[in-house]
Amino acid sequence: MTYQPPVAEMTRLAVQLGQDALADTALYAEATAESRSAILDEAARLAVEVLAPCNQAGDREPARLENGVVRTSPGYADGYKAIAEGGWVGIAGKPEYGGMGLPQSLAVMVGEMMASANLSISLCPLLSQGQIEALEHHASDQLRARYLPMLTSGRWTGTMNLTEPQAGSDVGALRTRAERSEDGVYRITGQKIWISWGDHDVAENVVHLVLARLVDAPAGSRGVSLFLVPKFIPNEDGSLGQRNAVRPLSLEHKMGLHGSPTCVMEFDSATGWLVGEENKGLACMFTMMNNARLGVGIQGVAIAEAALQAAQAWAMDRVQGHTADGSPTIVGHADIRRMLMQMKAQTRVARAIAYDCAFALDLARAAEDAEARTAAARRGA
């Protein structure tokens, strides 16, 4: 079964939710119905012709760690290259850093198609997009100028480093430590687990956002700071310099998503830069996590759509016994049709909720009236 992006349904739902109104705002004036349609058609082509064909390879030939370097599945480097060169990483990024400046509600539609076609690859740009938003809100001007253009272009990719072996979901229990250095940077030491796309061979550099604790920090979550730690430290001219003291120790074993390298990462006095203020890193990281929440919701919709299409194709093809209406395949059974319709209804409802959330977040940025922006922000939250 070949995945077919439901572009017509996506477009119809966007109209029903009122997303055409975004083109009437100053911020998203270029997001006309015509331009959105052209973008969705091109994203659908990417999903069908580039990402879906290498999806199976991710399970058959998983990512592997060789001599300290993560090697991705066959076709993944070309798949990610197509995403980056097409500008899809920065679809909602700010134009001053090379982004398209398009609405989040359009970006989630593109994200859904990529995730339906190949969820493992789609995780990589999703993490970069979350990091871009965190840096836009909290990083210094110097860090933004150096890192955002490279992340937005997709030449570099981003990660989120929270979880540790002993801490789990209790972020306040983390032990990764940060020490101030005389040259104004910080030295990060510790271990993080479950780091999606923590290392790979599909892009030039990997930029880690790492939660760590200063030696004199308060206990618990009130003493957590956020640091930017690149795999390769950039030179003043933006070229890649020396390798930083960060490396993947191993790849996590998972039930699925074998094409997505999920790493155990070690930081051994690695050079890092503070993002935001000391001891206020959790609030900064939550900017990225909130972005990821909508992205993960879209992934659920994407997998539901892919599963629905696979189930429909199977029901139309599978011959099994006699059916009440005389159909040659199991789709002739009333209960099979009921299950398919239930899947379709639930998928469409979930898609509508996710799209409406993205639309609200767009209005919170673009609405002309302050009261309307506040109401939209509350709805999106």
Side-chain angles (χ1 to χ4, degrees), residues 104 128-138 287 291 365:
Q104 186 71 18
S128 294
Q129 289 165 349
Q131 187 174 116
I132 287 168
E133 185 167 356
L135 295 179
E136 284 178 350
H137 282 84
H138 304 291
T287 299
N291 181 288
R365 299 185 184 99

Side-chain angles (χ1 to χ4, degrees), residues 217-273:
S221 59
R222 293 183 300 115
V224 174
S225 300
L226 182 63
F227 300 91
L228 183 151
V229 185
K231 177 180 178 179
F232 293 99
I233 300 174
N235 296 315
E236 288 300 321
D237 62 0
S239 62
L240 294 182
Q242 67 181 18
R243 175 70 184 261
N244 207 350
V246 52
R247 66 189 180 103
L249 294 179
S250 63
L251 296 184
E252 306 280 11
H253 297 283
K254 301 171 293 184
M255 291 182 65
L257 286 179
H258 298 139
S260 170
T262 305
C263 303
V264 175
M265 300 298 300
E266 179 186 62
F267 300 85
D268 185 11
S269 194
T271 301
W273 285 263

Side-chain angles (χ1 to χ4, degrees), residues 57-105:
D59 279 329
R60 290 186 170 178
E61 300 182 53
R64 62 196 187 278
L65 182 62
E66 293 182 348
N67 300 319
V69 178
V70 175
R71 307 296 183 188
T72 52
S73 303
Y76 273 45
D78 290 337
Y80 179 77
K81 182 180 179 182
I83 293 172
E85 291 184 349
W88 300 111
V89 179
I91 183 172
K94 292 185 176 181
E96 55 260 45
Y97 299 114
M100 296 185 189
L102 291 169
Q104 186 71 18
S105 51

